[in-house]
């Protein structure tokens, strides 16, 4: 194969953006050959805007056409796993939009299908475009190299996701359990939840979360969250997010035995201790002494390649065996954290990870049944309901 023929399942906001990147030649070694969408207006748009691209009503038709080697799944959240599994069964590479799904059980089933498909050489990726951001890549590199020593604490305040009531009122499916499967955690924060564990190289062992549902807006899902996490090595973490605060903050702080790194306002600041804090403490005899600390300038090279960068990397993985920046199987990590936060709130207690996925699904189903958008109404929802942030 010398060129990857991409198909897109769902041409709403994100799907249309990916289509433009491919049509405009931003992805080397790849071309857009087909798209599908259940909404007639979206298919009409595709015929007008995507010259030479085949347009189908559903994924089955597109996969049967033989026109695609890989698909980008940009459907509603609940449909990501089933569309991926369907594509794998047809021998097609799969790149899914975030989140991997709504609940861990369905994502685990998708990962199992991907494992089988991998034996046939099929690739599986997820559009975690923030992994291309050089700030977070550098943070991951510094931590992996031991520059921060042992991680002791993380703190992410991500409150710059402001959304007005008009935003939520723009679609009856928005911010509903049956339409999106959650609120700020499932729609706005999947990137941060992924980066939280990806950069430090650790998943929490247990979580206690306080999700407030419809606190600032007339919605049924969470719009304000404060969560506390504990890790196997004794480290702790705090994750705070909301869509109802202005002006918002995006500050990620990681402290270790050799200092502290803060990422805020697209800048990294590294306060490096001259010696590890435990070593200083062991030898120190002065009551109010503190370790010597240097503010270190960290060179950050490159720019974030965003969505096109992930699509390019996926094409390169298919054509040349290039390692994936965001393997699809890793989508379950950030989702498991958000699932645990929901479950902790619903059960009013600590949740150990791995958690009881059957219990989470049962609790979620209770809320889907009571949702303002019924399941029967959302089962065939058009694919432009996703990726709207």
């Amino acid at each position: 194969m010398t060129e990857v023929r991409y198909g897109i399942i769902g041409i709403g906001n994100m799907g249309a953006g990916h289509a433009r990147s491919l049509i405009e030649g931003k992805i080397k070694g790849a071309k857009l050959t087909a798209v599908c969408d259940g909404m007639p207006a979206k298919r009409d748009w595709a015929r007008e805007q995507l010259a030479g691209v085949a347009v189908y009503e559903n994924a089955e038709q597109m996969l049967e056409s033989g026109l695609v080697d890989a698909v980008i799944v940009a459907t509603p959240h609940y449909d990501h796993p089933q569309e991926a599994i369907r594509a794998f069964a047809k021998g097609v590479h799969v790149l899914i939009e975030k989140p991997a799904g709504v609940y861990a059980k369905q994502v685990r089933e998708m990962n199992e299908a991907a494992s089988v498909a991998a034996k046939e050489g099929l690739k599986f990726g997820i559009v975690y475009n923030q992994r291309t951001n050089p700030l977070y890549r550098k943070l991951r590199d510094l931590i992996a190299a031991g520059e921060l020593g042992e991680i002791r604490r993380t703190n992410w305040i991500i409150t710059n996701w402001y959304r007005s009531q008009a935003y939520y009122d723009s679609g009856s499916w928005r911010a509903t359990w049956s339409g999106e499967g959650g609120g700020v955690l499932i729609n706005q924060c999947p990137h941060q939840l992924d980066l939280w564990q990806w950069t430090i190289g650790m998943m929490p062992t247990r979580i206690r979360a306080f999700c407030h549902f419809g606190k600032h807006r007339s919605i049924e899902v969470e719009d304000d969250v404060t969560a506390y996490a504990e890790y196997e090595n004794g480290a702790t973490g705090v994750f705070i997010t909301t869509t109802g605060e202005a002006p918002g903050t995006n500050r990620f702080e990681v402290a270790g035995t050799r200092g502290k790194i803060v990422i805020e306002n697209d800048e990294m600041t590294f306060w490096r201790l001259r010696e590890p804090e435990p070593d200083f403490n062991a030898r120190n005899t002065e009551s109010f002494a503190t370790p010597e600390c240097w503010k270190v300038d960290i060179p950050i090279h490159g720019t974030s390649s965003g969505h096109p960068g992930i699509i390019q990397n996926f094409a390169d993985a298919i054509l040349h065996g290039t390692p994936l920046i965001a393997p699809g199987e890793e989508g379950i990590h950030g989702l498991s954290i958000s699932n645990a936060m929901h479950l902790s709130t619903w059960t009013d207690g600590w949740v150990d990870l791995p958690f009881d996925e059957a219990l989470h699904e049962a609790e979620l189903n209770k809320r889907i049944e009571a949702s303002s958008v019924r399941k029967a109404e959302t089962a065939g929802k058009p694919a432009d309901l996703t990726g709207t942030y």
Side-chain angles (χ1 to χ4, degrees):
M1 184 188 303
T2 59
E3 187 174 52
V4 178
R5 299 176 300 166
Y6 273 103
I8 299 177
I9 304 175
I11 45 174
N13 289 352
M14 297 308 303
H18 298 327
R20 293 188 187 96
S21 293
L22 287 158
I23 284 290
E24 293 170 4
K26 295 180 180 179
I27 315 302
K28 297 178 181 178
K31 67 177 180 179
L32 181 65
T33 54
V35 298
C36 66
D37 198 296
M39 191 178 231
K42 295 297 181 182
R43 297 198 299 274
D44 290 342
W45 173 88
R47 293 186 184 99
E48 294 174 1
Q49 301 295 322
L50 308 176
V53 175
V55 180
Y56 297 95
E57 184 176 350
N58 55 58
E60 293 94 331
Q61 295 172 350
M62 188 175 74
L63 291 170
E64 289 291 343
S65 72
L67 291 176
V68 300
D69 305 306
V71 294
I72 300 175
V73 179
T75 59
H77 304 153
Y78 280 106
D79 296 337
H80 291 181
Q82 69 182 32
E83 293 294 357
I85 292 171
R86 191 197 324 272
F88 284 136
K90 292 297 182 179
V92 173
H93 305 278
V94 176
L95 178 62
I96 59 170
E97 259 295 342
K98 64 84 187 169
V102 174
Y103 54 99
K105 180 182 175 183
Q106 64 168 181
V107 174
R108 197 171 302 283
E109 293 170 351
M110 175 176 64
N111 284 356
E112 290 171 358
S115 179
V116 174
K119 297 176 182 178
E120 301 175 1
L122 296 179
K123 302 295 183 181
F124 179 36
I126 185 168
V127 186
Y128 278 149
N129 55 286
Q130 284 301 307
R131 289 194 183 189
T132 71
N133 188 319
L135 285 168
Y136 298 113
R137 295 177 70 84
K138 175 62 74 172
L139 175 62
R140 174 179 163 88
D141 176 61
L142 291 171
I143 291 173
E147 295 294 334
L148 269 182
E150 184 178 15
I151 301 302
R152 286 184 162 179
R153 182 179 58 81
T154 65
N155 183 24
W156 204 326
I157 303 174
I158 173 70
T159 59
N160 61 344
W161 287 121
Y162 184 81
R163 295 294 182 270
S164 67
Q165 188 64 47
Y167 164 83
Y168 292 114
D169 291 344
S170 66
S172 62
W173 52 273
R174 284 192 188 277
T176 62
W177 293 113
S178 57
E180 288 192 290
V184 64
L185 291 176
I186 203 75
N187 195 17
Q188 280 81 31
C189 281
H191 291 299
Q192 286 73 40
L193 292 173
D194 171 62
L195 292 172
W196 192 20
Q197 56 81 31
W198 182 70
T199 55
I200 68 173
M202 299 190 298
M203 282 284 288
T205 54
R206 68 173 188 160
I207 285 177
R208 182 65 175 101
F210 300 88
C211 300
H212 297 272
F213 306 102
K215 182 176 183 179
H216 304 293
R217 301 289 181 264
S218 180
I219 57 177
E220 63 187 37
V221 296
E222 80 283 354
D223 61 352
D224 192 293
V225 178
T226 297
Y228 176 83
E230 293 182 348
Y231 298 84
E232 186 175 6
N233 73 337
T236 61
V238 175
F239 190 89
I240 299 171
T241 189
T242 182
T243 55
E245 185 173 305
T249 297
N250 184 357
R251 178 184 174 93
F252 185 27
E253 183 172 308
V254 184
T257 56
R258 293 197 62 90
K260 177 177 71 175
I261 292 179
V262 175
I263 295 179
E264 186 174 21
N265 298 323
D266 295 321
E267 296 180 351
M268 173 183 287
T269 305
F270 185 9
W271 286 274
R272 174 67 182 268
L273 299 183
R274 183 175 183 179
E275 62 182 319
E277 186 278 331
D279 294 351
F280 170 83
N281 185 59
R283 69 169 180 77
N284 176 62
T285 59
E286 298 179 23
S287 298
F288 295 100
T290 58
E292 184 177 344
C293 181
W294 308 325
K295 186 177 180 181
V296 181
D297 291 328
I298 303 296
I300 305 296
H301 302 292
T303 58
S304 180
S305 57
H307 296 106
I310 291 292
I311 300 173
Q312 181 67 69
N313 172 248
F314 193 67
D316 292 341
I318 295 171
L319 294 174
H320 313 298
T322 302
L324 288 170
I325 293 172
E329 293 86 352
E330 295 181 8
I332 198 169
H333 300 321
L335 181 68
S336 292
I337 294 174
S338 67
N339 281 181
M341 290 180 183
H342 279 150
L343 188 58
S344 173
T345 302
W346 294 336
T347 60
D348 194 23
W350 285 94
V351 170
D352 294 329
L353 282 82
F355 59 91
D356 187 336
E357 294 179 4
L359 176 60
H360 172 270
E361 185 181 10
E363 290 293 329
L364 174 62
N365 284 335
K366 291 178 185 178
R367 286 151 183 84
I368 292 174
E369 291 296 336
S371 178
S372 59
V373 177
R374 306 303 298 171
K375 285 193 292 185
E377 296 176 314
T378 59
K381 279 288 185 180
D384 66 332
L385 305 188
T386 192
T388 48
Y389 297 85

